[in-house]
Amino acid sequence: MKKVFAVLSFLMILGLSRVQAQHINFPDLLSLVSAPPEQINQFLTVGKKFEFLSTDFTSGHPISRYQNKYDGFRETVTTGMGSPNKDGRMLRVISYTTTSLKHINEILTQITKYGYPLCFKGADDTKNIRVYQSDLYSVSVYIPFNQSFFTVEVHERQFITIESP
C-alpha cells in the first residue's frame, strides 16, 4: 500500500511540475532578439510550446506574436519591434509577457545570474519598473501593481563606432 501511495504521489508531483514549466528563459530571449524571423518562428513553434498568433504590418515592418499552448498560465512573445539606428540598422526588441509570478521571478534570477546590473528601479502609476543593462542589451522588467501580467523586454543597444581613415 505504501508503494502504491508513493508512486501515485510521485506521478502527481511530476504532473503538477510539468504543468507549471516555463517555456522560455532569459538566454532564449537574448538569442532571439537579433535572430531572423524564420529562425524565431522555428525556435518558438517547433522547439518550444508556442503557437503563431498573428503578424501586424502597420508599423512598416512585421511584428509577430506567439502564445504558449495554455498550461494553466499564459505566455506571449512579441518579435519584430524596434527602431532604426542612425545608420539605418534596426535596433530590435523582443517582448515576453507571462501571467505567472513564479516565471517572472525565475527570469529576474536569470538576469542577475548572467551579470546584468540593475541600473534603474522605479514605478509609474500602474507598475514597478526595473532596468538592467550590459554592453549589448538593455532589459526592462515591468511588474504591475495588480499582478495581472508581467513583461520583460530585451532591447539591442546602439553602439558608437569610430572608423579609421
Side-chain angles (χ1 to χ4, degrees), residues 78-134:
T78 306
T79 66
M81 300 175 297
S83 59
N85 194 343
K86 290 180 183 178
D87 63 2
R89 181 181 168 280
M90 180 70 103
L91 293 173
R92 298 181 188 180
V93 177
I94 190 166
S95 174
Y96 166 76
T97 303
T98 183
T99 58
S100 171
L101 178 61
K102 175 185 171 192
H103 295 160
I104 201 66
N105 286 332
E106 288 175 10
I107 292 269
L108 285 168
T109 300
Q110 293 166 3
I111 290 169
T112 55
K113 177 184 169 190
Y114 277 81
Y116 282 70
L118 181 64
C119 298
F120 175 80
K121 185 175 184 179
D124 64 11
D125 292 341
T126 60
K127 63 191 166 298
N128 286 310
I129 303 167
R130 296 179 183 175
V131 178
Y132 302 83
Q133 288 188 344
S134 74

Side-chain angles (χ1 to χ4, degrees), residues 144-164:
F145 298 135
N146 65 5
Q147 304 285 303
S148 57
F149 61 91
F150 311 93
T151 303
V152 176
E153 289 182 353
V154 179
H155 302 254
E156 284 185 310
R157 292 190 60 194
Q158 183 172 350
F159 290 103
I160 299 173
T161 58
I162 300 173
E163 295 183 23
S164 59

Side-chain angles (χ1 to χ4, degrees), residues 42-59:
Q42 183 175 6
F43 180 83
L44 292 174
T45 59
V46 176
K48 301 289 183 177
K49 288 186 168 187
F50 285 88
E51 297 174 325
F52 173 76
L53 286 181
S54 64
T55 299
D56 181 11
F57 290 95
T58 57
S59 65

Side-chain angles (χ1 to χ4, degrees), residues 27-43:
D28 292 340
L29 293 173
L30 291 178
S31 65
L32 291 176
V33 71
S34 59
E38 302 81 26
Q39 185 179 353
I40 293 171
N41 185 57
Q42 183 175 6
F43 180 83

Side-chain angles (χ1 to χ4, degrees), residues 11-27:
L11 290 175
M12 192 166 100
I13 290 170
L14 182 64
L16 289 175
S17 66
R18 196 182 116 180
V19 168
Q20 288 296 316
Q22 185 174 11
H23 296 127
I24 198 163
N25 57 35
F26 183 63

